[in-house]
Every structure is written in structure tokens, then in C-alpha cells.
Amino acid sequence: MGKLIDGKSIAAGIRGEIKKEIDRIKSTGGHLPGLTVILVGDDPGSQVYVRNKERACQEVGIISDIKRLPATTTEAELIALVRGLNVDDKVDGILVQLPLPKGNDEIRILNEIAPDKDVDGLHPLNMGKLLKGEKGALVPCTPQGAIELILSTGVEIKGREAVVVGRSNIVGKPLAILLLQNHATVTICHSRTKNLGEVTRRADILVAATGQPKMITGDMVKPGAVVIDVGTSKVNDKLTGDVDFETTKEVAGFITPVPGGVGPMTIALLMKNTLAAAKLRATSGRA
Ligand SMILES: NC(=O)c1ccc[n+]([C@@H]2O[C@H](COP(=O)([O-])OP(=O)(O)OC[C@H]3O[C@@H](n4cnc5c(N)ncnc54)[C@H](OP(=O)(O)O)[C@@H]3O)[C@@H](O)[C@H]2O)c1
């Protein structure tokens, strides 16, 4: 049976390191990082995610401010709010919790976030820097978390076959780029990929980010592979991954559980990005 990758404890370790650094800043009277999260409407999933982010901020010493707005908030009001936060020196990170209620142009609103406060890493400038391998990019949290989980296994990424199933802007694409930067040979699969199992069976490192519960089964996995399950779907009220854990754990060398794998890493990396954004702004003289 494959070894379990304990995202919960790896994430706790990352939060611990961040807390130490923020304690140091506090003790020297420096600028404490601040994160503002904008939550529009009352989507139950988003409420939970935002509460978890707030809790993590409290734990590590990041000043958090949650702007809870009614679903009737207009796009113009949201843009005005983001623009105000862009020029607020107390704010180092701005995160708009997705999905926004129907009728909002998410891309337009996200593109309003100042790139140096874009802790979700979704602004075209940060995406462009990531693609080019430029320093100073804020990189999406979940892909960064997935890379940390792979590294935690001790399996070298360099030269390995990595397959990412899913090509979203927030997970699949940036993760594929990060794997490429780590010198993997990368294949990206999606809903039109033919003979998916044939491709995934080549993977030394297999990441599933589709939102299709249990679509990756043990027979689609190369023996000994590192399997990272990003998926989180609710099935009969239970959080379920994209990977069929029962059949895959018998084949994989390492596997993440759902919950307790990628999820806690996403929040830990959000804390890391907020601290990084604060430092970037401090060194560019804007904090
Ligand atoms: N744990 C965390 O912190 C975290 C963070 C972010 C997301 N998630 C979860 O990760 C999952 C993916 O999120 P996302 O935002 O990337 O989703 P998304 O934007 O819906 O993208 C899903 C991707 O999967 C592909 N896909 C769908 N069905 C497929 C199939 N049968 N075979 C192959 N590819 C298929 C889609 O292909 P096409 O492009 O061809 O449509 C698309 O590229 C969701 O369950 C989400 O809740 C978890």
C-alpha cells in the first residue's frame, strides 16, 4: 500500500515557519502583513473556506479583514472596493473569494487587483511572470501546495513524467508550469483527452484536478507513482476527491487523502503568499 502524504501536518509546519517570521517582525516593530478577503453572497462552501482562511491568519499573526457583502453588490461597487484596497498601505494581500454570484464578470474584477497584492496569483502579470520564470511572481496557492506535497515524498521531480489532469487557470495550468520549472516532462490532460488511462499510466507524478469524483481509478495509475488529489466534490455530503482512494492506494507509492491533503496546503500557501507580498512591497518602498 502507498504511503499517505499528510498535508495537514506539512501545512501546519509551513504555518509554524510563517508565524516565527511574523513574530520576528512584531518584535522589531515592523509592518505586520494584512490580508483582505472579499466574500460576496452566502455560498455555504465559500463561507467555510473564508472562515478557515481567517483562522489561519489569526494563528500566524496576519491581520485579516473579511469584507462580507450581500449578493446584490454590483460589479461597479466591487471594483471600487478593490481599487480602494489597492491604495491602502495596511493591505498587502487582496483575495476575492470565488465563485462570485452570477452576473459578475470575475475576470474583470480579478484583473483590477494590484498585481503586487494579488495573493491568489491570478492577475495576468503574475501568470505571465510565472510562465516566463521571472522572479517576484505571486503564484496560485493550490499548485504551490501540490509541489510542496510532491517534494515532501523525497521523490525527485527532475526528469520524471508528470501528468496533470485538468487545465484550469487556478490549478492545472500553473501546476504544469511549476512542474516544468522543476524539470519534469509534463503532459496536461483535459475533458477531450483520448485514452486518458494510457496517458495517466505513464505518470511517475500524477495530479488530478478535475472536480470529477473518483474518476482516477487504480488501473489508471503506474505502480509506485506519486498521486496528488486536488479534487474536492461533495458526494452525499462527504468531501470526495478525483481519485478513487481505495483502488489507487494499492498501486501508488504515495497518495494524498481527501480531506487532509491539498486543502490545508492551499491555505498555508495563502499565508506564505501574503507574507511574500508584504515583503515585496516593503522592498519596493510601498509599505
Ligand atoms: N483543495 C483545494 O484547495 C482546491 C483548490 C482549488 C480547486 N480545488 C478542487 O479541484 C477541482 C478542480 O478545480 P478547478 O477549479 O481546476 O476546476 P475547473 O475549472 O472546473 O477545471 C476542471 C478541469 O478538469 C477537466 N476535466 C473535467 N472532466 C474531465 C474528465 N472527465 N477527464 C479529464 N479532464 C476533465 C476540465 O477539462 P476542460 O478544460 O476540457 O473542460 C478542466 O480543465 C475541483 O474539485 C475543486 O473544488 C481544490
Side-chain angles (χ1 to χ4, degrees):
M1 187 183 137
K3 283 194 186 130
L4 210 60
I5 306 175
D6 186 354
K8 224 169 151 181
S9 81
I10 298 167
I14 294 173
R15 292 197 307 274
E17 289 301 312
I18 295 167
K19 181 173 168 19
K20 264 193 227 158
E21 198 163 341
I22 294 178
D23 283 346
R24 261 199 305 275
I25 297 172
K26 216 183 264 176
S27 68
T28 57
H31 166 83
L32 290 179
L35 173 68
T36 298
V37 178
I38 301 173
L39 173 60
V40 189
D42 45 19
D43 175 73
S46 295
Q47 309 262 8
V48 174
Y49 293 139
V50 168
R51 219 173 304 131
N52 290 341
K53 287 168 187 173
E54 196 175 14
R55 213 171 286 150
C57 282
Q58 278 161 3
E59 181 188 333
V60 302
I62 288 175
I63 315 278
S64 65
D65 180 17
I66 314 296
K67 306 274 187 212
R68 290 188 168 81
L69 306 172
T72 49
T73 308
T74 65
E75 198 171 296
E77 286 167 336
L78 274 177
I79 289 175
L81 174 62
V82 168
R83 287 182 180 165
L85 295 169
N86 283 345
V87 293
D88 183 341
D89 267 345
K90 294 189 296 299
V91 177
D92 298 292
I94 303 168
L95 185 147
V96 176
Q97 184 65 43
L98 301 177
L100 286 171
K102 280 204 174 73
N104 287 290
D105 183 346
E106 286 186 353
I107 293 176
R108 180 156 177 235
I109 293 163
L110 293 178
N111 286 359
E112 284 289 337
I113 298 175
D116 59 354
K117 297 190 177 188
D118 168 40
V119 284
D120 245 352
L122 293 172
H123 191 282
L125 191 75
N126 282 316
M127 284 275 179
K129 281 186 176 177
L130 170 65
L131 192 61
K132 290 177 76 182
E134 278 185 27
K135 284 206 174 99
L138 288 166
V139 175
C141 305
T142 304
Q144 279 195 71
I147 293 286
E148 292 294 331
L149 292 179
I150 297 165
L151 292 174
S152 78
T153 64
V155 170
E156 197 179 26
I157 300 177
K158 185 168 69 181
R160 303 277 173 164
E161 286 258 7
V163 173
V164 180
V165 190
R167 57 174 165 180
S168 70
N169 287 325
I170 194 154
V171 188
K173 279 186 214 162
L175 179 54
I177 300 299
L178 290 177
L179 285 162
L180 197 60
Q181 283 174 359
N182 280 275
H183 310 296
T185 302
V186 184
T187 304
I188 307 177
C189 300
H190 44 79
S191 66
R192 322 295 157 83
T193 298
K194 292 203 169 77
N195 304 323
L196 184 64
E198 264 175 39
V199 185
T200 56
R201 266 191 299 276
R202 290 207 311 259
D204 303 305
I205 297 165
L206 175 62
V207 185
T210 68
Q212 304 296 316
K214 299 189 180 186
M215 68 161 288
I216 303 290
T217 45
D219 59 321
M220 297 168 77
V221 174
K222 179 176 178 176
V226 177
V227 179
I228 307 291
D229 188 353
V230 179
T232 47
S233 308
K234 273 270 169 78
V235 179
N236 299 329
D237 240 21
K238 204 170 158 246
L239 211 58
T240 306
D242 293 348
V243 175
D244 179 38
F245 189 82
E246 289 311 311
T247 54
T248 304
K249 74 176 195 304
E250 302 302 331
V251 188
F254 298 87
I255 183 168
T256 58
V258 176
V262 175
M265 295 298 285
T266 297
I267 296 188
L269 270 299
L270 173 64
M271 302 298 108
K272 199 170 177 182
N273 270 1
T274 305
L275 178 59
K279 284 197 212 159
L280 270 176
R281 282 170 20 83
T283 52
S284 64
R286 271 169 287 163

